[in-house]
């Protein structure tokens, strides 16, 4: 068993990494068929592409070293259904016995593909839906799509896939949330994943619902959401104010992300080079990988010294808190994710996913 020793002020810390990966996100495509104004993808500067069948097969092979993995999510920032091998990849995951969740905007799902996904017993489909002019373009399209799924599932006498939606709330559209849920309930949605807007352009500043200290707004929005959902629907609800507690769902759930080109990345935030605005502060995001699946096994990467130490630091919040630091306005460290004032590389110090303000399926 590997053992890593880290020098600490009070002595030594010994970490013994385990093959305890439980959840895997795979980005089949960094390309997308839509061009939503609010999307992180609009500021990405690294190359786009589709995951090759060879890379995908290598991932599935490497997963055999992780007995606790039971859930694979086809996600990332692009549209997974654009990958030319999409259906074969779904089939391979199901043949290997894993639970699979597909996240999609839904626009590539033809009637034939819908029936194929149902016949393959896909476990969950999460479809993006918004109202307004900054998100996905047509709520009515999604309504018709879920109606088709509901009809074909009934014809085949199956409950799979479970139908879920994810939506981004802004000051412009949050009052529509109740009508979205009410309209989609007849088609059997079971879960709603709600996230906040993370501005990628300066002109989106001011549309955010969250603030640093508004407890009243947080309570108001949570009440609005809870009134809209019913006992039949579960809701993943973000924070609408900055809270002290930090909780990274990728780390807590022993998850990792594999980018379309095989890079093993700790979370969605570090998938690509891009720009975001954190409480009005422009932030340059630098992609960060702990290794490539084509050069090393997933086991070697997961149990490496650097990745083991990174997960320990995030789990134990060994990062400064830039979001509520009195010195942030004059600090150069807040301009990029490359390093923070405690010497962490990369830095999660002002990550809004870590604060549960931005959410993922």
């Amino acid at each position: 068993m590997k053992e890593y020793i880290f020098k600490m002020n009070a002595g030594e810390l010994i970490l013994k990494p385990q093959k305890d990966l439980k959840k895997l996100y795979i980005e089949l495509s960094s390309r997308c068929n839509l061009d939503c104004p609010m999307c992180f993808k609009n500021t990405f500067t690294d190359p786009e592409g589709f995951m090759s069948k060879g890379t995908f097969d290598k991932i599935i092979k490497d997963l055999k070293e992780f007995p606790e993995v039971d859930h694979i999510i086809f996600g990332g920032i692009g549209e997974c259904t654009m990958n030319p091998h999409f259906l074969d990849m779904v089939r391979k995951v199901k043949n290997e016995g894993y639970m699979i969740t597909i996240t999609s905007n839904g626009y590539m799902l033809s009637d034939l593909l819908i029936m194929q996904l149902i016949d393959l017993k896909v476990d969950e489909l999460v479809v993006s839906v918004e109202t307004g002019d900054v998100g996905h373009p047509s709520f009515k399209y999604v309504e018709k799509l879920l109606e088709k799924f509901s009809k074909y599932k009934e014809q085949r006498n199956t409950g799979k896939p479970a139908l879920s939606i994810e939506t981004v709330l802004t000051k412009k559209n949050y009052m529509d949330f109740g009508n979205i849920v009410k309209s989609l309930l007849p088609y059997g949605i079971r879960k709603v994943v709600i996230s906040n807007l993370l501005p990628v352009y300066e002109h989106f500043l001011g549309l955010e619902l969250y603030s640093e200290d508004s407890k009243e707004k947080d309570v108001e929005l949570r009440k609005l959401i809870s009134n809209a959902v019913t006992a039949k629907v579960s809701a993943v609800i973000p924070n609408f104010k900055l809270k002290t507690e930090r909780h990274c769902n990728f780390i807590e759930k022993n998850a990792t992300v594999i980018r379309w080109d095989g890079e093993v990345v700790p979370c969605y935030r570090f998938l690509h080079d891009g720009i975001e605005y954190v409480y009005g502060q422009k932030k340059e995001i630098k992609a960060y990988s702990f290794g490539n699946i084509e050069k090393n096994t997933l086991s070697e990467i997961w149990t490496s010294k650097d990745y083991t130490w990174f997960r320990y630091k995030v789990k134990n919040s060994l990062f400064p808190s830039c979001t509520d630091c009195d010195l942030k306005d004059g600090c150069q460290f807040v301009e990029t994710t490359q390093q923070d004032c405690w010497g962490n590389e990369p830095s999660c110090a002002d990550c809004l996913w870590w604060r549960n303000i931005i959410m993922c399926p």
Side-chain angles (χ1 to χ4, degrees):
M1 180 183 294
K2 292 181 180 179
E3 180 177 290
Y4 302 124
I5 300 175
F6 298 91
K7 300 292 184 181
M8 309 290 282
N9 290 336
E12 293 180 339
L13 172 68
I14 299 175
L15 297 181
K16 299 178 181 180
Q18 308 293 316
K19 295 180 182 180
D20 54 358
L21 179 68
K22 295 180 180 178
K23 191 174 184 179
L24 180 63
Y25 291 79
I26 303 178
E27 183 184 63
L28 300 186
S29 167
S30 65
R31 296 173 179 165
C32 189
N33 55 312
L34 299 182
D35 186 21
C36 303
M38 70 174 178
C39 187
F40 314 125
K41 193 177 178 303
N42 292 328
T43 67
F44 290 171
T45 57
D46 47 318
E48 295 184 343
F50 299 130
M51 180 173 285
S52 70
K53 195 169 184 302
T55 297
F56 183 81
D57 289 344
K58 172 68 162 48
I59 293 169
I60 300 302
K61 178 184 176 183
D62 284 2
L63 281 181
K64 296 186 186 303
E65 292 194 63
F66 296 93
E68 295 184 62
V69 172
D70 60 2
H71 192 180
I72 294 176
I73 299 94
F74 285 177
I77 307 299
E79 174 55 39
C80 65
T81 59
M82 291 182 68
N83 189 298
H85 305 292
F86 169 72
L87 195 61
D88 288 337
M89 291 168 169
V90 174
R91 185 177 291 110
K92 190 174 185 68
V93 169
K94 291 304 298 180
N95 286 344
E96 293 292 332
Y98 296 110
M99 175 183 174
I100 185 170
T101 292
I102 295 170
T103 63
S104 173
N105 59 45
Y107 281 77
M108 303 286 287
L109 297 177
S110 64
D111 285 36
L112 175 59
L113 187 51
I114 289 172
M115 289 186 282
Q116 289 171 321
L117 295 179
I118 292 171
D119 290 341
L120 285 171
K121 295 181 171 56
V122 165
D123 296 276
E124 182 184 25
L125 174 72
V126 184
V127 182
S128 306
V129 56
E130 282 94 31
T131 58
D133 57 1
V134 299
H136 294 85
S138 175
F139 165 68
K140 287 297 181 183
Y141 179 88
V142 173
E143 189 174 17
K144 291 178 181 178
L145 175 72
L146 297 185
E147 182 181 12
K148 288 180 182 179
F149 264 100
S150 179
K151 181 180 72 173
Y152 293 143
K153 283 166 59 179
E154 186 176 353
Q155 288 176 357
R156 282 161 164 72
N157 193 28
T158 180
K160 290 186 176 182
L163 300 175
S164 302
I165 61 170
E166 57 179 331
T167 188
V168 176
L169 298 186
T170 73
K171 286 183 179 177
K172 281 189 173 182
N173 71 7
Y174 77 98
M175 292 302 293
D176 297 334
F177 178 76
N179 288 332
I180 288 177
V181 175
K182 183 178 179 180
S183 297
L184 298 181
L185 271 176
Y187 310 119
I189 61 168
R190 290 290 176 262
K191 184 173 70 178
V192 182
V193 180
I194 303 152
S195 187
N196 277 293
L197 173 72
L198 181 57
V200 294
Y201 295 120
E202 191 172 6
H203 60 264
F204 286 150
L205 295 177
L207 292 181
E208 311 97 309
L209 287 168
Y210 51 92
S211 64
E212 296 184 39
D213 55 6
S214 178
K215 182 178 180 180
E216 293 77 14
K217 192 67 175 177
D218 185 58
V219 171
E220 175 192 338
L221 290 166
R222 286 176 172 274
K223 185 176 180 180
L224 180 147
I225 292 168
S226 63
N227 287 342
V229 298
T230 70
K232 295 181 179 180
V233 181
S234 64
V236 179
I237 305 174
N239 292 329
F240 294 99
K241 68 179 294 291
L242 191 64
K243 297 184 179 181
T244 300
E245 180 185 2
R246 289 184 275 185
H247 178 95
C248 176
N249 285 312
F250 287 96
I251 300 299
E252 295 294 336
K253 294 179 180 178
N254 287 25
T256 197
V257 189
I258 302 184
R259 201 168 69 177
W260 70 271
D261 56 359
E263 297 294 339
V264 179
V265 179
C267 61
Y268 276 3
R269 195 191 197 200
F270 288 128
L271 264 176
H272 301 282
D273 296 334
I275 298 293
E276 66 185 40
Y277 283 81
V278 182
Y279 283 105
Q281 170 68 49
K282 186 177 181 180
K283 187 83 173 184
E284 185 179 358
I285 308 300
K286 288 294 185 181
Y288 195 91
S289 168
F290 287 99
N292 193 292
I293 202 75
E294 300 285 2
K295 298 177 181 178
N296 299 98
T297 67
L298 184 55
S299 175
E300 289 170 338
I301 297 169
W302 179 259
T303 61
S304 66
K305 184 175 183 178
D306 286 347
Y307 202 176
T308 300
W309 178 230
F310 177 83
R311 294 197 303 273
Y312 179 85
K313 288 190 296 181
V314 175
K315 194 173 184 66
N316 292 279
S317 299
L318 300 181
F319 289 81
S321 180
C322 297
T323 40
D324 50 3
C325 176
D326 293 337
L327 304 176
K328 66 180 179 181
D329 290 339
C331 178
Q332 65 179 17
F333 287 114
V334 300
E335 297 174 1
T336 176
T337 56
Q338 287 182 296
Q339 189 180 48
D340 60 42
C341 61
W342 290 10
N344 295 301
E345 298 180 30
S347 177
C348 304
D350 59 357
C351 176
L352 296 185
W353 274 272
W354 202 8
R355 300 284 190 167
N356 282 331
I357 288 174
I358 310 299
M359 309 294 284
C360 298

